[in-house]
Amino acid sequence: MDYKTLPLAEWNESHVRCWLESIGIKKEYVEKLCEEEVTGPVLRELDEPFLKRMGMKGGQIHIITRKRNELLEHLQKNAGVGSAQADNPSIKASEVLGSDITTNDDKKRVKNRNSAVSDAPTEETDSDLKALGIKQPKSFHVTSYQKGSSETDHSGADEETGKEHTEKTMPTFCRRGSRKSHSLHENTVESLTLSKFRQFKNEDINFKYVKNRILAPETGVIDLITPCHEYKSFTTAAKLDRQRLQAKFAYEVIRYASACMNVRTNGTIHFGVMDSVEDKGWKHGQIAGIPVRDRDIYVDALDYIEKCFEPSEREAARNCIHPPIFTEVIQKDSQEQYFVVEVDIEPSSSTVKGKIFQVRLPRFNEQSNKVNFDKIPIIYQRVGTKSEPVNNAELVAFIQGLQEKDVRREKAESSSSEDPMEISENLGRKLSVLLTDGKNYMNDSLLYILVTNSCGKEDLKSVNFLMRMNIFCVFDFDEDSNVSGLYAKYKEHHATNVHFLRDYANENKMSTTEFQKHLGLFDHTSWIFCNGRSDFPGNEKPCDEDTWIRTKKKYLKKAVSFICDEILPKGFLVLFLLLSPVEKPIVDTFQEFYTEMNGMDYIICIAESKENYEKWANLAQASCSIETLEQRSIVGMKLSHVDATIQKKLPSAICPRHLPVSTRGLCVLPTLEEEKMSSLEILCADQCDDIRLDLLSTKEIQEIERTFYQGRKVSWKNFWLADKGSCGEVIEREACAEVHKILDDILHGNRIRYSVAKLQIFHQPGSGGSTIARQVLWKRRKDLRCAVVKTSYPIASVSKHAVNFREYDENDMKNSLPVLLLVEDYDEDYLDELKNDLMDAMGTRRSHFSKPCFILLCCKRSNVPEKLCKASPLDTVAVTHKLTDQEKHLFKTKIEKLEKQKDFKPEFILTFVLMSEEFNETYVREFVEHLLQGIDLSSPVTNLMKYVALLNFYVHNSYISLSHCEAFLGLGAYTEKRVREYDFKNNLSEQARIIFIELRENTTCISSVQIIHYLVAKEILHQLSGSQPQSQIAMNLLQEKVLLNHRFGREEFMKFIRDLFIRRDKKSRGDNTDSLFSPFIEHVCKVEDSEKAIEILKTGYECLGKDAFFAQQLARLHYNHEKFEDAEYWAGVAKSHLPNDSFILDTEGQVYRKWFSFTVDKKMHEATPDGIIQMIEIALKAMKCFRAAQQAAKSEIDNMNNAGYFGEVEVGCRLLKLLSTLDVFPRNIQREHPELVRYLLTDYIPEEIKKPWGKLHSRLKGLRQNIYNALDWISEDLSYFQTDKNQEKQDEDAKEEKEEQVYNPRKWLKRQSEVYAKFFTSEYPMGENNAESETQLVRRMNIYKYGGGSVTTILSFLTDSKEKKPVEKLEKIINFYPDDPQKERLEDIDLINYIFCHITLACLSPRSSKLLPFQTLRELSNRFFKQRRTAFPASAHFLLTLLYWPDDALDKEPNPDKDDILISALQTMKRMHDIKVKNIAPRKKKIYTHFFLGKGSGLIKIMHKTRIDKLIDGSLNDRRKKWQHGDVWNIDKIRDVLRRVSGWTENGKLFVQGHVGQIQIVALHYDSVPHGNENVTFYLGFSFNGLVAHDIQLNK
């Protein structure tokens, strides 16, 4: 039973399914809901979480909940006036869903049978339609409440009168008695489109009817040739047995046929088309179709002709009544097969002339169970739209009129036989208009999706237009395409990524961005083999239609949905190219795109074969009317003509691109080769020369120029048009000449050559730095190979492509032209890694290059460019807003020229005007004041302005995608094609139009919106903050569900939102300052208050999916404002989301650390015994959290987070200080802490704290060891890398630094070691048995106190320029050790420190009496080799390399044992180094060379790096440069003290002679190792990564 006739409480799964389909829910979700057994009562209770768990997307959830709520609401409203009726479960859905309540009056109304179209909606109906928000299409349609079919079919016995059993009336839109139901459910109202008839006498197998479409009303006699039509629903009769069915079918056909033949008119009777008002819920002429079990039943039924007609008329009747034609009825997403059975009647004059056809109709008698025939033959004729018997009174007149009818028939036949002239359509113009929107040329930025099938050999000659179009992806249904089809040809011209439909399923649930990169979309054309590949050995085999629908169709749906919803912005075109006979899967593809794109506006079909098109269109009409398809299709145009027409409309000519070569000539760069280097935007020597200048109007050229001056990035087209004189020159700032000068110095100057050079441009935002960088590339494009790096690509790809670019089509690789690579807005790690990768790649070439192979032109925004330029003046240019007098003159002149252009408005070049005013604060403020006058503060456009301004000011390079903006302003995703480009702008206010610029992302083609300049954004926020504080703007932004939930470009948008609230400024990233919180949160705290900031972050946490890092920021914000309980709560929340994240665990530790410090500083004076216990508890909790962070950091391979160790030491030392002040641990006369030390190191516990501190004792007694372990780890860690960022900073800079452990960790370690050690240097009684360990501990703590407790603090005696009396301190430290350490065995760590003290002392005072002989030190260190199974720290193995390097005095005789020691130490260090560095950026793991091999022997030859630094003249920056460029090795003073070591190279590896055998050495610069097998010399360095070679030179 139809769901509309049942109460909701009685709906089963099938009824719910029907309702879901009627409201447009996707089939996959309908199936899932049925599987979950959703019935009427369940539907009533459905909620959003349940639907989300099923995997349903937001849009579908929105529809289902809204429509369900409307259903419930209207069920209640329409149940009756009283509430009792409202609760009545027997109220039927049909009463709400608008059933046609047919009264007797209605039945009396008979429509005019002779009108071609009847029952057009009345004015009243029109207004009802408008009330429902339903627009009537321009084409004819009938609007109806969709009902289930219920038909009354009468047997012949009921119709003995020979009259029609019912009057066929078409129900109007509204019936009396259901007036209130009009606005109930838009979803129950379906627009029923008029359908075409099958062509008379034409059995076209491709022709299909679409279920529920409407055929024109039944007709009477028109012109005898045009067939009249009669409909029979036949839905009940079709289910009868063979005998009954045949009798019923023959009765209707013969009755109708005889009537047509008697009036000499052609006619068609249709079975499966609704004919009666009794067919409740159906419209007259509505196509329903009937199931056909066996076609022979219908064909054989016409054998009744022999029994029904008189013998003399039988043959004529046979000739006139054609065999039944079975026309398939299609329905979208349905596999059931229905037909309309049609019989054509053609009474040709030669057959029927002079004949009268009287018939005895067959009727099945139920009582006798057999077919009876009328006893008296009856003559039927067509009267209007009915077949009526001729009564006796009219019989004579009827017979007399036959002769006239025969004459009319003959005349009609003769006139219809004349061939009408076919008017050929102007297909060339139609194709041009469809592709260009009526412009002169096609939009070269438009993306195309191609859907095609098998392409023949001849057609392959005419598809060159596809090679030149910007094709995003291809849905190819030809399984042989790779062997002999379109793909085989396409891949000769373009790089592609080959996929199958299943690849788009995203079964691993990657994010959109990850999945996009995984598929390589936007890199190359994605070629999707939709039905497998015949040449592919894997599982994707071609299959038949039925198998395809069963196994692959679901993946097609996902692929189309993913591309349309999440990847491509609106405005792309889908091109169906039908090159061979069409099958169902390609039609399914059309239907998916049609659904996703809301119509045909962005779909075009091209088919040379009309037959292919007609089959496609007839199947596709299930989604879209034939008329609409024809409007968007090019049918019958030869493919070669299509090819030529499209190529003529392309904006660029066929013109090969060229690159310069080292021989000063040019080479061709084919598109295929260029696309293989997809991570580079290559600038050719003849860039833009393929543009057809004749197609560009003056207005378009001015628009290109204005677009640049309005604030968008300069394009190559700007420079090209300027060079051609078509527009004004692009102003060249003076910094441009500076860049050229540095570039010439890199290329031709007298400096050491490295394979990769670096040139930096730091520029204030909006000062033209990016334009300068591109101007340099443009000027150099004919001398160097130039490209822009797309930093979204992995470094490995960029490096590989850059090397291929350099070497492409060059004969002499050694002397290939340098490559100038522009890297913009980069991350320092990215740049360093790219540089290292390129150097490594060139290193494998084993050549010495006369010029750099690559020059990285690094262009980065900075608010302090001059400061950065000062830090590195030799290779850095600063660009600021400040203009020189010459530049001011150029800007003024340019503005005057632009003002002379037609239709000029100052806002067209706003950024340029602001730039010419040097972004003067007053000018910007006055400009924004003027702009905001009279603005509507509550309008959506103004809110959008606020949101864009908020993001643009606080988040670098942020934007909001155009798609997000349109969704926010309520503009549809797909609009009328004519207005789509202007739709967004037209909906903006005047103010927004001035300050918004639309940018287009090159790699993904996403259009986005920004404010013209961040200073304008800042001023807008400032001036609007009077009416609405920034915190409120942010709160409103977080509540904008449309923006947050918009699927397209969502990940980028969410990243900007997160950065707004979380991303801190860091100088290391090029920011002005190091901030504690995001600049926005700091602003809210400063200008408003911390409570507001907390409220915003809490809202962000809830709105953005309970993000752990928002909880982390809340914890930090709370503890910074001394709200420690809240901080503890939020740290716990963050930890519950990410329990193994070292940074979150560190934050938890910081909460307790700050809490501990606060209570000690602020509450110590009033502390009670319980308060003291609480303080200690907090400190111990902090240390525990820091240890957890340490463990988590060890397992993280992508970062080196050592904060846990620093945190533990700081809290531990502060806790020691607290304990030392307590009365329970009194000091002695020397102000030492013997009682505290005794408590911490022995079992001793003072009586007064034994019970109160019960839970603390065991933890406190591990305190010393925990601090010691952490200090030891930090020391070892600092030995590896060059971590002291401000090791030699000037005093004024040092004062700025906040966190010593970050900016000078060696100094921090030394200070904390002293603090820690001073608590344990007092003598205390441990008992006789422990006397030795007591002495040892006191000794070790004294050593610690003076700076000898770790390798790093010992070496800092060399590096710390402020260290007073370092020699005395070192000698004092050595005095603490036993006089003869060989007799009194030292612990391993003590022995390491002891030997390091000697090496350090030897560097500072080579003649000190405290120094042991070199041989003795060797013997002491031998323990580290002999006991190899012991896990010694890296510093032990480092000592072995220093001490066992061949010595002139001690190693005159070769000794293989010493080689074993050396090689074993090097191998162990390498292994430990690789574990230590993890997968982190090279910038953070630079090899730090501690010592160099000097001249002399023994300890004298071990020379620390600081001694070499002292021999270099100049400022700190000069010294750094000399190290960086290798100029230090040219300084005579350094050459005099260092020894050059001889070695050799083999296959890119560097070796040196050890004591006996060869030892491999690491080259500091991989590319400095000479090509081939050469003898070399170099300076030898000692690092924790092994032995390092500096300044490798060929041995002359």
Side-chain angles (χ1 to χ4, degrees), residues 2-271:
D2 185 9
Y3 72 92
K4 295 175 192 139
T5 64
L6 285 173
L8 184 63
E10 293 177 28
W11 284 15
N12 61 22
E13 291 92 329
S14 301
H15 298 128
V16 173
R17 176 199 290 275
C18 294
W19 181 77
L20 290 168
E21 287 171 348
S22 75
I23 65 170
I25 296 299
K26 286 191 173 183
K27 192 175 180 184
E28 61 203 81
Y29 298 133
V30 174
E31 297 299 335
K32 281 186 182 176
L33 285 163
C34 288
E35 285 169 20
E36 296 288 338
E37 298 183 358
V38 174
T39 58
V42 178
L43 178 64
R44 186 187 289 274
E45 301 300 326
L46 275 188
D47 60 6
E48 193 169 322
F50 173 80
L51 296 170
K52 273 188 177 170
R53 283 199 299 278
M54 282 177 48
M56 194 177 272
K57 302 288 188 207
Q60 297 282 306
I61 292 173
H62 176 69
I63 291 173
I64 202 170
T65 50
R66 187 165 72 87
K67 297 293 185 187
R68 189 275 314 275
N69 293 343
E70 285 176 11
L71 175 66
L72 295 175
E73 183 185 328
H74 295 307
L75 276 169
Q76 219 165 0
K77 275 186 188 174
N78 287 272
V81 182
S83 60
Q85 285 173 293
D87 296 330
N88 185 352
S90 65
I91 298 292
K92 293 178 182 176
S94 61
E95 293 171 38
V96 178
L97 299 173
S99 63
D100 293 336
I101 301 170
T102 311
T103 64
N104 290 329
D105 289 342
D106 292 324
K107 288 184 180 177
K108 287 173 190 170
R109 282 189 279 129
V110 179
K111 66 178 188 270
N112 179 2
R113 293 280 182 171
N114 294 316
S115 64
V117 180
S118 62
D119 271 29
T122 62
E123 283 183 33
E124 186 177 321
T125 306
D126 252 0
S127 65
D128 288 332
L129 283 168
K130 284 174 187 167
L132 278 166
I134 299 168
K135 291 180 183 173
Q136 286 185 254
K138 290 174 186 173
S139 60
F140 170 85
H141 74 280
V142 183
T143 306
S144 161
Y145 286 115
Q146 179 62 41
K147 302 282 173 61
S149 87
S150 66
E151 176 216 10
T152 314
D153 231 325
H154 300 269
S155 65
D158 296 326
E159 301 174 30
E160 286 188 4
T161 57
K163 293 191 176 183
E164 287 276 348
H165 60 270
T166 181
E167 294 292 353
K168 302 179 177 71
T169 62
M170 183 179 281
T172 53
F173 183 82
C174 302
R175 290 280 181 197
R176 288 194 301 279
S178 60
R179 180 69 60 197
K180 288 182 184 176
S181 66
H182 297 166
S183 62
L184 304 188
H185 287 291
E186 288 105 325
N187 57 288
T188 62
V189 180
E190 188 176 330
S191 180
L192 300 175
T193 313
L194 191 67
S195 177
K196 283 184 175 179
F197 290 111
R198 174 187 53 80
Q199 199 174 337
F200 186 69
K201 286 200 312 179
N202 184 3
E203 190 173 355
D204 180 0
I205 58 166
N206 290 331
F207 184 81
K208 311 278 189 244
Y209 284 124
V210 181
K211 187 161 185 167
N212 294 328
R213 294 264 171 94
I214 298 281
L215 290 171
E218 293 169 313
T219 55
V221 179
I222 300 171
D223 58 9
L224 303 185
I225 300 301
T226 303
C228 54
H229 296 273
E230 185 160 308
Y231 306 142
K232 298 291 171 192
S233 59
F234 222 59
T235 48
T236 305
K239 297 168 188 168
L240 296 172
D241 60 33
R242 185 181 183 97
Q243 193 180 13
R244 287 178 173 82
L245 173 55
Q246 285 187 330
K248 174 69 175 159
F249 182 70
Y251 172 88
E252 298 291 0
V253 171
I254 291 168
R255 182 166 175 263
Y256 174 73
S258 66
C260 288
M261 291 189 292
N262 281 330
V263 297
R264 308 304 193 240
T265 182
N266 292 348
T268 304
I269 184 166
H270 309 259
F271 296 89

Side-chain angles (χ1 to χ4, degrees), residues 793-810:
Y793 283 76
I795 285 159
S797 300
V798 176
S799 178
K800 179 186 170 187
H801 295 162
V803 172
N804 293 346
F805 182 46
R806 176 181 178 270
E807 296 177 354
Y808 175 74
D809 212 16
E810 285 276 19

Side-chain angles (χ1 to χ4, degrees), residues 1530-1582:
N1530 299 327
I1531 298 170
D1532 290 338
K1533 291 178 191 172
I1534 292 171
R1535 286 179 172 182
D1536 290 343
V1537 295
L1538 293 184
R1539 171 184 290 181
R1540 286 196 79 83
V1541 176
S1542 297
W1544 68 93
T1545 62
E1546 288 179 25
N1547 299 319
K1549 293 177 180 173
L1550 180 61
F1551 296 95
V1552 70
Q1553 186 69 36
H1555 293 273
V1556 175
Q1558 65 182 30
I1559 293 172
Q1560 189 176 337
I1561 307 288
V1562 178
L1564 182 69
H1565 295 295
Y1566 186 56
D1567 60 347
S1568 63
V1569 180
H1571 181 62
N1573 304 323
E1574 299 281 0
N1575 290 328
V1576 295
T1577 65
F1578 53 87
Y1579 294 115
L1580 185 69
F1582 297 85

Side-chain angles (χ1 to χ4, degrees), residues 5 25 201 204 287 326 479 1112 1419 1466:
T5 64
I25 296 299
K201 286 200 312 179
D204 180 0
I287 297 163
F326 300 87
E479 61 263 32
Q1112 181 192 28
E1419 288 165 9
L1466 288 168

Side-chain angles (χ1 to χ4, degrees), residues 862-915:
S862 168
N863 290 316
V864 284
E866 297 105 320
K867 188 176 176 184
L868 293 167
C869 187
K870 256 184 221 172
S872 184
L874 297 178
D875 61 2
T876 307
V877 173
V879 187
T880 66
H881 292 145
K882 195 80 182 156
L883 303 178
T884 64
D885 291 340
Q886 176 63 25
E887 286 171 339
K888 284 177 184 173
H889 175 70
L890 289 171
F891 274 78
K892 186 183 175 188
T893 309
K894 185 71 185 179
I895 288 174
E896 287 169 358
K897 282 184 183 175
L898 291 169
E899 283 171 348
K900 290 173 185 174
Q901 289 182 0
K902 194 179 175 186
D903 302 327
F904 171 82
K905 289 181 185 173
E907 58 263 28
F908 287 160
I909 56 164
L910 190 54
T911 306
F912 188 69
V913 172
L914 289 169
M915 194 172 168

Side-chain angles (χ1 to χ4, degrees), residues 357-375:
F357 297 90
Q358 49 188 349
V359 291
R360 292 183 178 90
L361 294 176
R363 303 173 192 273
F364 188 83
N365 190 305
E366 292 294 340
Q367 291 171 346
S368 62
N369 204 29
K370 64 179 183 178
V371 177
N372 298 329
F373 294 88
D374 292 344
K375 290 173 183 174

Side-chain angles (χ1 to χ4, degrees), residues 1319-1335:
F1319 289 104
F1320 297 98
T1321 50
S1322 57
E1323 300 286 344
Y1324 60 94
M1326 288 181 71
E1328 289 180 22
N1329 296 336
N1330 294 318
E1332 189 181 332
S1333 57
E1334 175 192 340
T1335 310

Side-chain angles (χ1 to χ4, degrees), residues 515-583:
F515 193 47
Q516 177 187 306
K517 286 181 180 174
H518 168 70
L519 292 175
L521 306 178
F522 298 106
D523 294 355
H524 307 127
T525 300
S526 175
W527 204 281
I528 308 167
F529 282 88
C530 298
N531 190 22
R533 267 172 63 185
S534 59
D535 64 324
F536 187 67
N539 293 328
E540 288 285 343
K541 299 295 182 191
C543 58
D544 59 43
E545 277 189 41
D546 291 339
T547 310
W548 188 92
I549 287 166
R550 201 171 63 251
T551 61
K552 293 189 168 77
K553 185 176 176 179
K554 59 187 173 187
Y555 296 119
L556 172 80
K557 281 176 175 287
K558 287 181 180 177
V560 174
S561 177
F562 175 66
I563 289 167
C564 293
D565 290 353
E566 300 188 38
I567 294 298
L568 287 184
K570 71 170 190 178
F572 63 91
L573 275 180
V574 182
L575 181 63
F576 281 80
L577 188 60
L578 308 178
L579 301 171
S580 55
V582 170
E583 292 186 320

